[in-house]
Amino acid sequence: MRGPGDVLYTAYERQLVKGLPGERLPRHVGLMLDGNRRWAKLRGENTEHGHRAGADNIEPLLTWCDELGIEVVTLWLLSTDNLKRSEVELKPLLEIIEDVVDGLAASGRRLNLVGALGLLPDATRARLQAAVEKTSDAEGLVVNIAVGYGGRQEIVDAFRAMLLDAAERGESLESLADRLTIENVGDYLYTKGQPDPDLVIRTSGEQRLGGFLLWQSAHSEFYFCEAFWPDFRRVDFLRAVRAYAERERRFGG
């Protein structure tokens, strides 16, 4: 049975959706799904419990994005720094991520892996790639799975790939330097061909990027939410989108 609070939240959500200007909604939303460990600690549970609770909140989030017609979502599930965690924590976290990606692939989502995949264990990388390949013909919302992702690493990888391409063509460094533009670099990023994120959301009250989409977020709007990721609700998401829609984007102008 639904309580009075549920009814009020539903009514409030409807009001929020009704007030969103369709022409000012973000095309690409990046999310830093933060706070799983602290959420678990507050409940006297282990870290794995927190990560699984966070994983359970991903499909609802994507449903909310579908409802608003958002085109691209980037989910930061594992950073390059996270790979330095102890085996006791990292192994179950990788298994949870594998399960999440398998589930999203089975749901018909169109998935894309972004990150330094070579840093992942071979078995994890193979399973993720196999799941993503199954979604190549899927339509609708594109979901970027950021695993083994770091913004600095992405930029280094982009320039490395650019230099290797130039060397393969026999192009000199001087020629490469002469034609180098911001657009050229964008062609070598993990998210090449996609719009840059309009809105970046971080949960758990932390107000820092931590290396997320450093290049792509130059003109993004940021929204920091106090809720830990497992507690992030549709109403929190709608508030973030409303805040974005109410801002005047200047793009440095």
Side-chain angles (χ1 to χ4, degrees):
M1 181 180 295
R2 300 174 64 189
D6 294 328
V7 174
L8 289 174
Y9 266 118
T10 300
Y12 180 45
E13 287 173 353
R14 289 175 180 167
Q15 181 182 357
L16 285 173
V17 172
K18 186 177 180 180
L20 291 175
E23 72 282 0
R24 293 179 62 86
L25 298 182
R27 294 178 63 198
H28 181 174
V29 176
L31 288 113
M32 307 171 71
L33 315 182
D34 197 18
N36 293 339
R37 294 195 295 178
R38 281 169 284 168
W39 181 90
K41 185 177 181 180
L42 285 173
R43 287 157 177 76
E45 300 285 355
N46 61 26
T47 298
E48 182 178 351
H49 180 80
H51 288 314
R52 291 202 178 277
D56 290 341
N57 206 24
I58 290 176
E59 180 59 39
L61 167 77
L62 298 180
T63 299
W64 307 333
C65 292
D66 276 331
E67 292 171 351
L68 296 183
I70 290 168
E71 299 173 22
V72 183
V73 176
T74 298
L75 306 174
W76 198 8
L77 302 187
L78 184 78
S79 71
T80 50
D81 290 335
N82 294 157
L83 291 170
K84 302 172 186 176
R85 292 180 180 176
S86 69
E87 181 70 13
V88 173
E89 181 178 355
L90 185 58
K91 184 177 179 181
L93 176 54
L94 289 172
E95 291 174 352
I96 291 168
I97 291 172
E98 292 167 10
D99 291 342
V100 166
V101 174
D102 280 342
L104 294 177
S107 72
R109 304 282 185 191
R110 183 179 167 193
L111 307 181
N112 181 46
L113 290 175
V114 297
L117 303 182
L119 300 179
L120 301 176
D122 292 342
T124 295
R125 182 173 63 254
R127 185 173 169 187
L128 295 180
Q129 289 175 330
V132 168
E133 286 172 4
K134 296 176 183 177
T135 74
S136 59
D137 295 328
E139 298 181 354
L141 179 67
V142 175
V143 183
N144 292 325
I145 306 294
V147 181
Y149 178 86
R152 289 179 173 179
Q153 184 67 52
E154 178 178 24
I155 294 169
V156 169
D157 285 349
F159 277 98
R160 180 184 293 116
M162 185 182 298
L163 289 169
L164 289 173
D165 273 359
E168 188 175 343
R169 293 192 304 271
E171 183 178 6
S172 70
L173 288 178
E174 291 78 6
S175 173
L176 176 60
D178 285 342
R179 68 175 181 82
L180 186 61
T181 65
I182 291 173
E183 290 72 25
N184 291 152
V185 176
D187 291 338
Y188 289 89
L189 296 175
Y190 301 147
T191 58
K192 60 182 176 293
Q194 299 180 357
D196 287 339
D198 302 294
L199 171 63
V200 174
I201 301 170
R202 181 166 189 163
T203 60
S204 86
E206 298 287 350
Q207 297 190 22
R208 52 190 171 82
L209 274 181
F212 185 51
L213 300 176
L214 287 178
W215 185 280
Q216 298 92 327
S217 65
H219 297 299
S220 300
E221 298 294 328
F222 298 94
Y223 185 89
F224 300 103
C225 176
E226 292 296 321
F228 294 133
W229 170 245
D231 287 333
F232 189 76
R233 304 159 299 173
R234 182 170 180 255
V235 69
D236 297 312
F237 178 69
L238 293 173
R239 285 170 176 163
V241 174
R242 180 184 64 181
Y244 166 84
E246 290 176 344
R247 297 176 188 177
E248 181 181 352
R249 302 189 70 191
R250 300 180 184 275
F251 299 98

